[in-house]
Amino acid sequence: MAFEDQQQINLTGSLLLADPSLRDPGFGRSVVLLARHETAEGASGFIINKPLGRSVSELVTLDELEALAEVPVYLGGPVSTEQLTFASMTWRDDLETLDYETHLSSEDAAHRLQEGFSIRAFVGYSGWSEGQLESEIKGRSWIIKNPDDAIADVEACSESLWGDQLRSMGPYYQMLADSPDDPSLN
């Protein structure tokens, strides 16, 4: 992906798959849903394949969150890890797109859950300052992919999602997905 015309690039709604060479312990083998991207202002999103193995009720005991008690919690990224953010996701077969909304109030998240949306809670988020993400993409730290229907499925968004998404992109990416964590072991 070229970034010659900085004003025209907008990756909002895209997935960022960490390249196997990305050694950052917080982002290694991560799949990030970019919730917002503007070249001049930076980007933010949520890691969607790092479940904490906990539900909302295990982290927060507020009556207003009772309807969201069983919603799974994910590590969304290293920024503001003291905050819990709700997001809804659904796959639109008719348009072959992922509909999502982040930063939902607990009331909105509960309402969407009743409507059949996939709801997730995130501890923290991932963020990039102006030009930082573009620089990381140029440096081949991230592989850009359009979301597919697996992203809306809470069960599919486990740690295996990274490899599954890469494998779906073809033989070269399958080789990347199957590479060891430590290339010196290859």
Side-chain angles (χ1 to χ4, degrees):
M1 164 105 17
F3 288 98
E4 285 80 24
D5 186 357
Q6 296 283 321
Q7 302 304 318
Q8 299 299 318
I9 303 300
N10 188 319
L11 299 174
T12 299
S14 298
L15 299 179
L16 298 178
L17 307 176
D19 188 87
S21 65
L22 183 61
R23 293 286 176 223
D24 182 307
F27 286 110
R29 298 189 180 236
S30 288
V31 178
V32 177
L33 173 62
L34 273 181
R36 181 187 63 82
H37 175 251
E38 296 177 29
T39 303
E41 295 182 25
S44 62
F46 298 93
I47 300 172
I48 60 173
N49 69 320
K50 305 258 177 169
L52 294 177
R54 299 198 153 171
S55 63
V56 169
S57 66
E58 293 176 84
L59 299 179
V60 183
T61 56
L62 297 174
D63 289 339
E64 65 191 53
L65 296 178
E66 187 176 337
L68 302 168
E70 298 305 313
V71 168
V73 180
Y74 292 76
L75 176 62
V79 182
S80 296
T81 56
E82 70 285 352
Q83 293 181 339
L84 188 65
T85 303
F86 292 103
S88 68
M89 297 179 196
T90 191
W91 181 254
R92 299 261 326 253
D93 282 325
D94 57 334
L95 300 175
E96 294 188 4
T97 60
L98 178 71
D99 278 353
Y100 68 92
E101 190 170 349
T102 62
H103 298 88
L104 295 172
S105 68
S106 57
E107 295 83 17
D108 287 341
H111 181 72
R112 291 191 185 221
L113 185 63
Q114 288 177 331
E115 291 180 332
F117 285 82
S118 173
I119 303 295
R120 292 167 217 193
F122 295 97
V123 172
Y125 71 94
S126 302
W128 294 266
S129 60
E130 176 185 347
Q132 183 183 2
L133 179 60
E134 293 77 9
S135 176
E136 290 180 15
I137 291 171
K138 283 181 186 177
R140 300 184 186 260
S141 295
W142 298 102
I143 299 163
I144 302 167
K145 182 180 184 299
N146 288 326
D148 58 31
D149 60 343
I151 304 307
D153 181 3
V154 172
E155 299 298 321
C157 288
S158 64
E159 293 192 16
S160 66
L161 182 68
W162 177 82
D164 295 343
Q165 289 292 303
L166 280 175
R167 285 183 199 90
S168 75
M169 295 173 68
Y172 171 75
Y173 294 101
Q174 183 173 353
M175 181 186 68
L176 289 179
D178 295 335
S179 67
D181 284 342
D182 183 352
S184 67
L185 298 176
N186 203 6

